Amino acid sequence: MSRDLQHRLHTRLELAAQMLDLPLTADHLERLAVELTPAVKALIAEQADAQAAAAPVGYAVVETGGVRTTTYAQCTSRIDVKVDEGSPAALLAASLRTRQPDVVATDVPSPTYLGLTVRPQSLHAWAWWVERLHLDPTKLNRRDSSVYGVGEVDGVVVHVRGDGVPDLMADESAARLMGLLAETEPAS
């Protein structure tokens, strides 16, 4: 880091000397860069520290009623304190939270059960969730502005709530083509 900073400082000093037409030799510029590097490094560290101190905390952990609730990056994670963090449901919840931006909340009340709330951004994203969680499109329930279903992933029962999914499925023919809605018989 210091060597790289020293080279960058030398380049900036050389440019400044040329622009201001200062009578500095290459030896002068090199000595200036060597002498100023620690001071510049300290200034950079102070600035980084000030920014870190001013940044809001985006992470909160609260434990109430035997449930540990963590909120981070608009995602709420709840896990029963009796459930091991290495249980299948807790590991699946952690994996989905860290890899999928659609995840809004995870609830782990037992080692083999996961309550999952997702907010997919498109019909294709919802199709991915249906496939990933092994949901049966014929057994999805629509209530208000959400769709609910139950699937299973690696021995973990996953109860999913898809926020905003009915709005995504407004184009019923597209949803049927994607296998997200069951075919219905025409009324005779």
Side-chain angles (χ1 to χ4, degrees):
M1 167 67 184
S2 291
R3 189 68 133 161
D4 181 48
L5 180 60
Q6 188 176 337
H7 286 298
R8 292 189 313 182
L9 188 57
H10 182 272
T11 303
R12 300 307 193 289
L13 288 170
E14 188 175 40
L15 179 63
Q18 288 174 356
M19 289 179 66
L20 297 172
D21 198 24
L22 297 175
L24 298 174
T25 65
D27 187 48
H28 289 126
L29 290 172
E30 187 169 335
R31 286 180 43 207
L32 268 173
V34 169
E35 293 296 321
L36 289 174
T37 297
V40 170
K41 194 173 182 181
L43 284 172
I44 292 171
E46 285 175 9
Q47 183 181 11
D49 188 45
Q51 286 177 344
V57 175
Y59 191 87
V61 178
V62 178
E63 188 174 315
T64 55
V67 176
R68 188 173 35 256
T69 303
T70 307
T71 304
Y72 180 72
Q74 278 70 38
C75 181
T76 302
S77 166
R78 289 178 285 274
I79 184 168
D80 191 294
V81 293
K82 296 175 187 167
V83 176
D84 179 28
E85 297 282 342
S87 70
L91 292 174
L92 178 61
S95 171
L96 293 174
R97 275 193 316 272
T98 57
R99 294 185 183 159
Q100 299 301 325
D102 293 348
V103 176
V104 175
T106 59
D107 295 288
V108 182
S110 78
T112 58
Y113 180 88
L114 169 62
L116 179 67
T117 303
V118 297
R119 190 172 296 128
Q121 301 302 309
S122 68
L123 201 52
H124 288 287
W126 176 243
W128 183 88
W129 283 108
V130 168
E131 177 74 23
R132 172 72 172 100
L133 302 175
H134 306 287
L135 301 174
D136 182 354
T138 63
K139 294 183 180 175
L140 294 176
N141 296 316
R142 177 181 174 168
R143 277 182 262 148
D144 301 322
S145 63
S146 298
V147 170
Y148 299 84
V150 178
E152 186 175 331
V153 177
D154 299 329
V156 176
V157 175
V158 181
H159 188 127
V160 68
R161 173 183 172 187
D163 280 349
V165 171
D167 292 337
L168 297 174
M169 289 200 273
D171 184 0
E172 285 190 32
S173 58
R176 287 190 204 296
L177 283 173
M178 294 177 76
L180 298 174
L181 288 176
E183 291 294 331
T184 56
E185 295 292 324
S188 37

